[in-house]
Structures are given as structure tokens and as C-alpha cells.
């Protein structure tokens, strides 16, 4: 039996002196090209540039409201149907394929504070400033019939939010307290309260459907279990939380939109510190909604922009704005993961692409293969300085750009002050507080 032993001759790759040229081993395999990496880098650079060239996310504007759009709701069964409520009490149902309003209802006197669609999609609920909860049919009334609600519940206080259970005929409203209602009854089957302040938002968990989360104006985020008559626990932040949204893929994860310009992603089992702090907005964050994949969420802010954040990253991957768009009050991510809807102060609902440079319509097989290849190249070279710079560059309105610079200076000043204090104090007297724990005041169980 012949045995062939691998042997390496040091003369082939070791330099005799430091001044010698570096000896590079050559691969003579014709299948491997010596300039393959250089070629792929050029292709990745071109793909990144073209992605920015074709990034045109704005699709259309749905106008028809006569006052600012205050809330929106998605239809659970129909991708092309979306509902919106305005500050003058008007509710509109839109057809997104035709991009037109198919029905208008004068639902309330004063603001429409919240709305939600029943899990089967046959009816929807609205709450308003006139202290009423109304249930409406999704279909338009027959010819000659009047536009009237199926049920009307008159409450004692103003309701500020509503959400429907994902599987049962149960819904929750919030205002002075969180009320759990059965659809067949005119009085709440249980009322949950912790503290004495007004509650601005309530949301059911889509996976563990008996769990609820609510945000109150005394800076609390409170978690409830519908099976118990008492709240579970609450976390108190430095500033008020406007709303929260549960991750549709991970039962314990939720993201809260805060007045201090940040968003906080929490694991409800460990509320002592958030999983991630998302910082990019330059004004109060008013609304947040998850994508159906649970990997990203979109946020609406008072700074006249909306941003898309990956769940595990602290900075946004995309920022959308137009010259005419004012303070964005509500935002929704459609259930096919392709589009984003936002409602703002100046009476318009805007439709955006979730992926700014995505081509809409049918893709040819070669086109799809080229797109996938370019995507892999961009991922391979994403940390290269030049490609990273082009991929991350965004044009911003002058006001936002100025505020970002100002906040950067303020953060740097705070950091410098802390360093100086630590330098001139007794060792250990000024503790290091991580960014995630700076914004949490207390957790009460």
C-alpha cells in the first residue's frame, strides 16, 4: 500500500529577510478566480447605490377627512380594508386597492378616541369623547336603511382607547380604569385599576390572549391578567408612555412609545430593564405598530416623521417624511408585511412601502434571482465603510437634522459631566448606570 504524505516546504512561504517580498501562494484551480472578492465588492457597491436610487417609498395619499386623523384600525380578514377615525367624530372605511373611501359614518360628537375590528371582521367598535362605545356593521346599510350602530353603551367617563380580544367576543376599554366587556352585556364584567390616573391605551396580547397591557398618564405601564381580578405588575418610567404594542411572534415582548423621544422594548418577565432602547426620534413618539413577522416595528412621532426599527437594534433602518406631513398621530403596518399606513394632523392618510426600494408587481424569475443575489452581496459586505456609508445615508428635513445635532451635543455634555464628576469623587461613589436602566424609576409587583 502506498501512502502519500503531505509535506510543506518552508522555502515556499517563509521570507529569508524582512526586506524580501511577501511570497503569496497561488491557487491554480481554474474554477476559483483570483479577483473574485474584488468583483463581488464592486457588485455589492453598485447594488447598494442602485437601492438608494430606487428608494421611493411614498405610494399615495388618501384624503377626505375634514379634521386630523386620530386613530386607525386594520381589518383582520381583508388586506385591502382599513378604517380611520378623525377628530370631528367621523369614521371612514377605505379600499386600498382602489385608494378611495367606500363608506363614511358620523360616529361620535367630538374626537374618535379609539377603534378596533372584531376578530371575525363582521363588525367594529369605536369610542369617543361623548362617553359612548358603539358597535357598527362592517357592510354598508341596504338601500333605504339608516346608518345606525348595532349596540351603543353609554359610560360614566370618557373612554380613551379600545381593543378587542383575538379569539372571544370580549373587548377592553380604558379611560378612568380598564373595563373588560362582554359583547352581550351593557355593563363591564370586570374593572381593573391600579393608581388614580387616566389610562391612554390598552392592548390585548395576540398570543397569550388573556394578557393585557395599558399605559397611564402617571408614567406607568401596567400588565393585567383577564383571569384574575387584580393587575399583575407595573413598571414606572421617567416620562409618560403614549401607547404600547405586543410582538405578534413572541408572547412576552412588547414595545412602548414614550414621551422622552425613545421607544423601549420590554420582556414582561424582566421589567427591571428594557431589552432594547430605540433612539432616533427628536420629539415625542405617539404610536407604534409591529410588522406581522415580529422582526420590525414602525413608530410615528410628533417630529413629522415615521421610522422603521429592527427589533434588536437601537437605531432605525429607515425614516419617511414629506414636506406636507405634519405631526403623525397614528401608524399601522399592513398584515401582508408590504405596506405602512400613517395618519397625521393635516387630515391625510399616507400609504408607504415597508421596503423603500422594493419593486411592486410580478417579478420575472431572472429578476428575482438577481435581487436575491444582490441582497446576499449587500449582507456580505455590509460592514465595509463605503458600502455602510451609502446604505445608511438619509436626507432629513432641516428641523430634524438640526435637532439631532443639538441632542448629540447635549448627550456629549452629559457624558463629559459624568466623567468629570467620577474623576473628582471618591472611587465608587458615582456608579456606572447603563443606558437601559437610566429611564426606569421602579417596578411594582
Amino acid at each position: 500500500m502506498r501512502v502519500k504524505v503531505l509535506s510543506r516546504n518552508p522555502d515556499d512561504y517563509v521570507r529569508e529577510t524582512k526586506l524580501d517580498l511577501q511570497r503569496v501562494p497561488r491557487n491554480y484551480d481554474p474554477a476559483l478566480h483570483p479577483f473574485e472578492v474584488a468583483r463581488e465588492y464592486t457588485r455589492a457597491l453598485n447594488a447598494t447605490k442602485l437601492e438608494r436610487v430606487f428608494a421611493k417609498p411614498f405610494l399615495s395619499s388618501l384624503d377626505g377627512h375634514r379634521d386630523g386623523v386620530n386613530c386607525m384600525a386594520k381589518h383582520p380578514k381583508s388586506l385591502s380594508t382599513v378604517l380611520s377615525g378623525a377628530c370631528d367624530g367621523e369614521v371612514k372605511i377605505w379600499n386600498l386597492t382602489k385608494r378611495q373611501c367606500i363608506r363614511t359614518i358620523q360616529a361620535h360628537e367630538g374626537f374618535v378616541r379609539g377603534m378596533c375590528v372584531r376578530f371575525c371582521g363582521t363588525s367594529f367598535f369605536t369610542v369617543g369623547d361623548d362617553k359612548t362605545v358603539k358597535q357598527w356593521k362592517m357592510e354598508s346599510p341596504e338601500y333605504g336603511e339608516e346608518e345606525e350602530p348595532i349596540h351603543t353603551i353609554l359610560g360614566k367617563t370618557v373612554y380613551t382607547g379600545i381593543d378587542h380580544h383575538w379569539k372571544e367576543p370580549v373587548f377592553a376599554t380604558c379611560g378612568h380604569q380598564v373595563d373588560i366587556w362582554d359583547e352581550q352585556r351593557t355593563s363591564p364584567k370586570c374593572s381593573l385599576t391600579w393608581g388614580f390616573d387616566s389610562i391612554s391605551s390598552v392592548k390585548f396580547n395576540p398570543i397569550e390572549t388573556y394578557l393585557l397591557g395599558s399605559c397611564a398618564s402617571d408614567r406607568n405601564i401596567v400588565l393585567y391578567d383577564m383571569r384574575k381580578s387584580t393587575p399583575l405588575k407595573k413598571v414606572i418610567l421617567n416620562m409618560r408612555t403614549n401607547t404600547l404594542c405586543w410582538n405578534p411572534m413572541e408572547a412576552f415582548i412588547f414595545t412602548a412609545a414614550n414621551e422622552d423621544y425613545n421607544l423601549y422594548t420590554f420582556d414582561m418577565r424582566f421589567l427591571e430593564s428594557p431589552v432594547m432602547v430605540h433612539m432616533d426620534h427628536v420629539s415625542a413618539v405617539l404610536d407604534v405598530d409591529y410588522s406581522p413577522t415580529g422582526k420590525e416595528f414602525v413608530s410615528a412621532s410628533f417630529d413629522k416623521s415615521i421610522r422603521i426599527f429592527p427589533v434588536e437594534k437601537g437605531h432605525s433602518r429607515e425614516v419617511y417624511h414629506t414636506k406636507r406631513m405634519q405631526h403623525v398621530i397614528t401608524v399601522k403596518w399592513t398584515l401582508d408585511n408590504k405596506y405602512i399606513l400613517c395618519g397625521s394632523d393635516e387630515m391625510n392618510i399616507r400609504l408607504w412601502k415597508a421596503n423603500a426600494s422594493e419593486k411592486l408587481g410580478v417579478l420575472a424569475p431572472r429578476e428575482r434571482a438577481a435581487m436575491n443575489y444582490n441582497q446576499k452581496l449587500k449582507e456580505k459586505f455590509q460592514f465595509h465603510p463605503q458600502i455602510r456609508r451609502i446604505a445608511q445615508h438619509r436626507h432629513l428635513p432641516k428641523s430634524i437634522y438640526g435637532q439631532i445635532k443639538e441632542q448629540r451635543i447635549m448627550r456629549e455634555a452629559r457624558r463629559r459631566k459624568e466623567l468629570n464628576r467620577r474623576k473628582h469623587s471618591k472611587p465608587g461613589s458615582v456608579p456606572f448606570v447603563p443606558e437601559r436602566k437610566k429611564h426606569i424609576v421602579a417596578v411594582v409587583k
Side-chain angles (χ1 to χ4, degrees):
M1 187 176 77
R2 292 176 64 192
V3 178
K4 189 174 181 184
V5 181
L6 289 175
S7 64
R8 297 186 71 188
N9 185 1
D11 295 339
D12 293 339
Y13 55 88
V14 177
R15 292 188 292 179
E16 289 179 7
T17 69
K18 282 184 182 177
L19 300 174
D20 275 0
L21 288 173
Q22 186 78 45
R23 291 179 183 177
V24 182
R26 282 196 59 191
N27 189 344
Y28 291 100
D29 183 355
L32 298 174
H33 198 280
F35 299 125
E36 188 176 12
V37 175
R39 281 178 174 186
E40 284 191 343
Y41 169 72
T42 308
R43 285 174 187 166
L45 187 64
N46 289 339
T48 309
K49 286 177 180 176
L50 283 173
E51 184 189 43
R52 297 315 312 146
V53 167
F54 291 117
K56 293 181 170 56
F58 180 70
L59 291 174
S60 77
S61 164
L62 310 173
D63 54 340
H65 276 295
R66 291 171 297 182
D67 208 334
V69 181
N70 197 47
C71 56
M72 286 196 296
K74 295 182 276 193
H75 195 292
K77 305 283 184 187
S78 166
L79 286 173
S80 61
T81 308
V82 70
L83 299 88
S84 63
C87 297
D88 59 355
E90 199 173 62
V91 170
K92 282 184 180 286
I93 302 175
W94 303 88
N95 185 327
L96 292 181
T97 46
K98 294 178 183 173
R99 296 181 190 175
Q100 64 186 32
C101 174
I102 53 175
R103 188 172 163 208
T104 304
I105 306 164
Q106 187 59 46
H108 294 276
E109 293 170 17
F111 283 40
V112 180
R113 288 288 173 189
M115 58 198 312
C116 65
V117 183
R118 200 172 187 270
F119 60 90
C120 61
T122 54
S123 62
F124 63 94
F125 295 82
T126 60
V127 292
D129 274 357
D130 52 6
K131 302 182 185 178
T132 57
V133 182
K134 293 183 182 179
Q135 183 181 1
W136 307 82
K137 276 186 186 173
M138 190 60 76
E139 285 83 33
S140 301
E142 297 293 327
Y143 181 74
E145 273 189 299
E146 286 198 20
E147 188 78 83
E148 284 185 350
I150 308 169
H151 298 298
T152 303
I153 300 167
L154 184 61
K156 292 173 185 169
T157 56
V158 174
Y159 296 112
T160 53
I162 186 167
D163 197 31
H164 202 284
H165 195 281
W166 289 77
K167 289 176 182 169
E168 294 170 17
V170 171
F171 63 92
T173 60
C174 63
H176 183 59
Q177 60 194 12
V178 172
D179 294 323
I180 311 292
W181 305 76
D182 193 310
E183 286 182 12
Q184 307 303 321
R185 295 170 59 180
T186 56
S187 58
K189 63 179 192 178
C190 75
S191 296
L192 304 161
T193 181
W194 193 353
F196 299 97
D197 227 317
S198 62
I199 297 160
S200 58
S201 167
V202 65
K203 291 285 167 70
F204 274 100
N205 192 319
I207 302 166
E208 301 291 345
T209 50
Y210 46 81
L211 289 177
L212 296 101
S214 76
C215 311
S217 53
D218 55 357
R219 304 175 298 156
N220 292 346
I221 299 171
V222 188
L223 301 175
Y224 309 93
D225 191 331
M226 222 166 64
R227 299 166 300 183
K228 296 181 180 180
S229 56
T230 54
L232 291 173
K233 48 185 168 180
K234 69 175 174 181
V235 56
I236 305 168
L237 278 74
N238 274 332
M239 289 184 80
R240 192 179 82 209
T241 301
N242 287 314
T243 186
L244 62 86
C245 186
W246 294 94
N247 190 321
M249 287 292 164
E250 295 180 62
F252 302 111
I253 306 294
F254 66 89
T255 297
N258 205 279
E259 283 280 322
D260 64 359
Y261 316 166
N262 298 340
L263 294 113
Y264 302 97
T265 298
F266 284 96
D267 187 326
M268 66 171 280
R269 297 164 295 182
F270 315 107
L271 291 175
E272 285 73 23
S273 77
V275 178
M276 183 61 70
V277 181
H278 308 275
M279 314 166 78
D280 258 346
H281 281 295
V282 293
S283 195
V285 188
L286 301 180
D287 199 10
V288 60
D289 193 39
Y290 264 94
S291 72
T293 58
K295 292 185 176 177
E296 293 182 317
F297 59 84
V298 61
S299 62
S301 173
F302 202 74
D303 64 11
K304 308 176 188 177
S305 70
I306 61 173
R307 286 181 184 267
I308 300 171
F309 289 88
V311 172
E312 73 284 350
K313 290 187 180 166
H315 293 284
S316 61
R317 72 161 173 86
E318 203 65 78
V319 54
Y320 294 161
H321 53 86
T322 66
K323 278 187 179 179
R324 295 186 180 191
M325 190 156 78
Q326 294 303 307
H327 312 306
V328 191
I329 299 169
T330 177
V331 71
K332 287 281 179 266
W333 198 310
T334 58
L335 292 173
D336 61 349
N337 199 31
K338 276 185 174 290
Y339 306 104
I340 289 166
L341 289 148
C342 70
S344 47
D345 253 357
E346 82 311 328
M347 306 178 278
N348 271 0
I349 296 165
R350 287 181 173 79
L351 183 65
W352 309 82
K353 287 192 274 190
N355 187 359
S357 58
E358 183 183 17
K359 185 189 171 190
L360 299 179
V362 181
L363 288 176
R366 285 182 65 181
E367 217 171 359
R368 190 180 297 281
M371 192 179 72
N372 292 338
Y373 175 61
N374 285 342
Q375 188 60 38
K376 286 292 175 193
L377 284 178
K378 283 184 283 188
E379 283 173 20
K380 183 177 177 180
F381 292 97
Q382 63 183 330
F383 297 113
H384 193 281
Q386 197 173 356
I387 287 178
R388 191 177 175 192
R389 181 183 63 79
I390 294 165
Q392 290 187 347
H393 182 261
R394 296 290 181 278
H395 285 290
L396 290 170
K398 198 173 180 181
S399 58
I400 295 179
Y401 185 73
Q403 282 173 291
I404 287 173
K405 277 173 69 176
E406 193 178 301
Q407 285 179 17
R408 193 182 296 131
I409 292 164
M410 286 158 67
R411 264 200 305 274
E412 186 56 38
R414 279 197 295 268
R415 193 185 67 82
R416 211 163 46 241
K417 185 177 180 181
E418 193 179 329
L419 282 173
N420 288 341
R421 190 177 287 157
R422 192 171 285 120
K423 195 192 295 181
H424 298 290
S425 301
K426 195 169 81 173
S429 61
V430 181
F432 286 93
V433 182
E435 184 64 41
R436 293 180 188 185
K437 294 202 174 182
K438 278 180 187 173
H439 311 277
I440 307 294
V441 176
V443 176
V444 187
K445 294 182 183 177

